[in-house]
């Protein structure tokens, strides 16, 4: 089971120009006691962030939205995509196993999952 986090804010200029509502997306998995968010920062750099349920409530109050997606996630997917993904959407699609080439923005991914 994979959760996908969508944010309405980004510090990147290209996201502010090309993306409409959601500016960033990130896959997230649930472990026994916490959630692990795989934050795509730039090519070849993916940071794992540990979050609790309280952190998720705080993030959702600040404009983040979380969607549950039925896909199997293996941690080696995150290591493989460090060299191939150029955007957060490509990284999230690869982790979730989505092959649709027309999904290029976080809004498109959100509509596809909903």
């Amino acid at each position: 089971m994979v959760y996908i986090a969508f944010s309405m804010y980004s510090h990147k200029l290209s996201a502010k120009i090309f993306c409409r509502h959601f500016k960033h997306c990130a896959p997230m998995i649930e472990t026994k006691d916490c959630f692990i968010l795989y934050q795509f920062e730039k090519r070849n750099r993916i940071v794992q962030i540990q979050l609790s349920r309280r952190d998720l409530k705080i993030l959702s109050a600040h404009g983040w939205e979380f969607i549950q997606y039925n896909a199997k996630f293996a941690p080696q997917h995150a290591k493989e995509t460090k060299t191939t993904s150029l955007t957060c959407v490509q990284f999230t699609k690869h982790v979730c196993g989505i092959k649709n080439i027309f999904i290029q923005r976080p809004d498109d991914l959100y509509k596809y999952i909903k």
Side-chain angles (χ1 to χ4, degrees):
M1 188 68 59
V2 176
Y3 294 91
I4 301 176
F6 292 94
S7 173
M8 292 187 287
Y9 306 106
S10 177
H11 68 280
K12 294 186 178 185
L13 182 63
S14 61
K16 291 178 182 179
I17 293 171
F18 295 114
C19 301
R20 294 182 184 174
H21 183 67
F22 292 114
K23 310 284 191 237
H24 184 70
C25 62
M28 184 172 60
I29 59 168
E30 184 177 10
T31 60
K32 293 179 183 177
D33 56 345
C34 66
F35 292 88
I36 297 176
L37 181 86
Y38 289 90
Q39 179 75 27
F40 180 87
E41 289 186 351
K42 61 181 182 177
R43 188 174 185 193
N44 294 330
R45 183 162 179 165
I46 296 166
V47 179
Q48 296 180 10
I49 302 171
Q50 252 185 337
L51 301 171
S52 65
R53 293 200 183 275
R54 180 179 175 270
D55 296 333
L56 295 181
K57 288 180 184 178
I58 292 170
L59 286 175
S60 63
H62 289 286
W64 285 73
E65 189 166 332
F66 303 97
I67 297 178
Q68 186 176 2
Y69 185 70
N70 291 329
K72 291 187 178 182
F73 178 81
Q76 66 266 19
H77 287 334
K79 293 176 185 173
E80 291 171 3
T81 56
K82 284 185 180 179
T83 57
T84 59
S85 298
L86 296 174
T87 64
C88 62
V89 177
Q90 287 178 353
F91 173 68
T92 306
K93 281 177 21 181
H94 184 74
V95 166
C96 294
I98 299 171
K99 305 278 188 204
N100 192 340
I101 61 170
F102 296 109
I103 299 174
Q104 296 296 322
R105 298 178 300 169
D107 291 330
D108 300 334
L109 184 62
Y110 182 81
K111 289 178 187 175
Y112 178 81
I113 292 172
K114 275 292 191 176

